[in-house]
Amino acid sequence: MFNPNTITRFNNTETPFYYYDMEVLRQTLQACHIASAKYGFHVHYALKANFNPKVLDMIQSFGFGADCVSGGEVKAAIEHGFSNKQVVFAGVGKSDKEINLALDGDIFCFNVESVQELHIINDLAKAKNKTAKVAIRINPNVDAHTHHFITTGLDENKFGINTWQLDDVIIALRACSNIQFLGIHFHIGSQITDMEVYKSLCIRINEIQDWFEDHGFPVKILNAGGGLGVDYHNPDTNTISDFESYFKVFKDFLNVKPGQEVHFELGRALVAQCASLISRVLYVKNGQKKNFLVLDAGMTELIRPMLYQAYHEIENLTQHSKLKTQNLAYDVVGPICESTDCFRKDVELPESFRGDLIAIRTAGAYGEVMASGYNLRDRVQSVYSD
Ligand SMILES: *Cc1c(COP(=O)(O)O)cnc(C)c1O
């Protein structure tokens, strides 16, 4: 990812910044596009993973749809050229204003997360003399085998409608004259690397779609959500997620009936590997028990380690001629006035000095989008390979 020219460029750029390798992004999108098109599957990009304008423009150019979780994202998707006919809108707390915005935009589908929401969408659509197309987001109680902070498909999670409430959904659907039922939606968690999890999901989807059909509601859309993981430990040798195996699980185990469409919502797997957070060492603190590298980037630029205990590879990009042969262990920390502002403890690095460039890898998903102004910090900049 970093050739000598890139590093020279970094040396002449104010840190911290996100560095986007647009070629990595292009290759990832291409791989996903080919693997999904093979089975005629539809992929919506989950904007919340990264809504950097240049990233959105490239994703849109591949013909992907958009998966949005706020009115702002619906607006951004349409402004960046995503077709409104390919916009899906999920979220456990859609406000009336956001629902109205999506109704005005004639989006493809609302992914509805409660019976009450179904009635509200129906009322708002009626007021506009429109019909809202919906999929019911169902909580299938499938364990994603990922970190519990990013699990969404268990009974105890706030997302979706639990299966014991589906009788109420049917009653509501029959009562709502301004709702068109398209199908069923699932999203069970993020950073999922075990394909058995998706096989279990397929089996649950098959049962649930049969249940809807038995109750007089034919299912046109099966939306399996997203969550495909990336390799945070090997960004250079395993850069692109195994889209082929992922889609093949659904091809093999999902009972797709004639006329049905299969949809996906991928975020992380499309964008995580294309960016690194580049920062400089401000200070080296050698303690009795610990060595600290204090960077000029912190949780205000990348909060994943502090928010989800997430792992990122950390590299020193600066070459020194005379170095100790052995690596040292550093706690790599940020400048923010919070004890949790630590990227990782005991990181093995070559001896490091003030001014060294540090790359925090695989930062393209849930990185820049979560940047904050806490401590009145400047907004993090972006730099692109092209
Ligand atoms: C966040 C989200 C996604 C994307 O998740 P990834 O793990 O980034 O693939 C898909 N669908 C919904 C409803 C989401 O909230």
Side-chain angles (χ1 to χ4, degrees), residues 28-44 64 195 198 202 224-225 228 241-254 262-266 269-270:
T28 308
L29 296 171
Q30 178 100 21
C32 179
H33 178 70
I34 291 171
S36 57
K38 188 169 163 190
Y39 307 120
F41 292 163
H42 301 259
V43 176
H44 304 263
F64 293 114
M195 291 301 128
Y198 286 117
C202 288
L228 178 63
S241 296
D242 188 356
F243 293 108
E244 288 197 19
S245 302
Y246 170 68
F247 290 119
K248 191 167 186 305
V249 172
F250 292 90
K251 164 72 184 157
D252 288 346
F253 296 102
L254 204 56
V262 184
H263 291 245
F264 295 88
E265 302 166 339
L266 291 175
L270 296 181

Side-chain angles (χ1 to χ4, degrees), residues 89-110:
F89 182 16
V92 68
K94 302 178 191 76
S95 70
D96 293 20
K97 186 176 164 192
E98 290 174 313
I99 293 168
N100 279 325
L101 186 140
L103 286 168
D104 291 339
D106 287 318
I107 63 162
F108 171 60
C109 189
F110 290 87

Side-chain angles (χ1 to χ4, degrees), residues 44-49 67-69 88-91 111 113 137 150 152 159 185-192 198 223-229 246 264-271 365-366:
H44 304 263
Y45 168 61
L47 264 78
K48 77 173 185 289
D67 167 39
C68 303
V69 292
V88 297
F89 182 16
N111 293 331
E113 310 222 8
R137 177 168 180 177
I150 51 174
T152 56
F159 299 100
H185 170 243
F186 304 82
H187 176 65
I188 57 173
S190 201
Q191 185 52 18
I192 297 168
Y198 286 117
N223 184 338
L228 178 63
Y246 170 68
F264 295 88
E265 302 166 339
L266 291 175
R268 186 191 310 274
L270 296 181
V271 294
Y366 308 105

Side-chain angles (χ1 to χ4, degrees), residues 262-332:
V262 184
H263 291 245
F264 295 88
E265 302 166 339
L266 291 175
R268 186 191 310 274
L270 296 181
V271 294
Q273 298 288 16
C274 76
S276 297
L277 176 62
I278 309 296
S279 72
R280 274 195 180 83
V281 176
L282 286 176
Y283 301 102
V284 183
K285 284 176 58 163
N286 295 313
Q288 272 181 333
K289 291 189 177 151
K290 287 274 184 192
N291 300 313
F292 293 97
L293 286 189
V294 183
L295 306 186
D296 62 7
M299 62 195 288
T300 41
E301 285 69 44
L302 177 68
I303 201 176
R304 297 190 66 257
M306 305 79 181
L307 188 60
Y308 314 119
Q309 302 166 342
Y311 179 94
H312 288 265
E313 282 292 320
I314 298 175
E315 293 168 19
N316 186 331
L317 302 179
T318 303
Q319 306 278 329
H320 295 281
S321 48
K322 298 188 291 261
L323 276 183
K324 292 184 182 148
T325 45
Q326 282 209 324
N327 281 349
L328 297 174
Y330 293 99
D331 283 11
V332 178

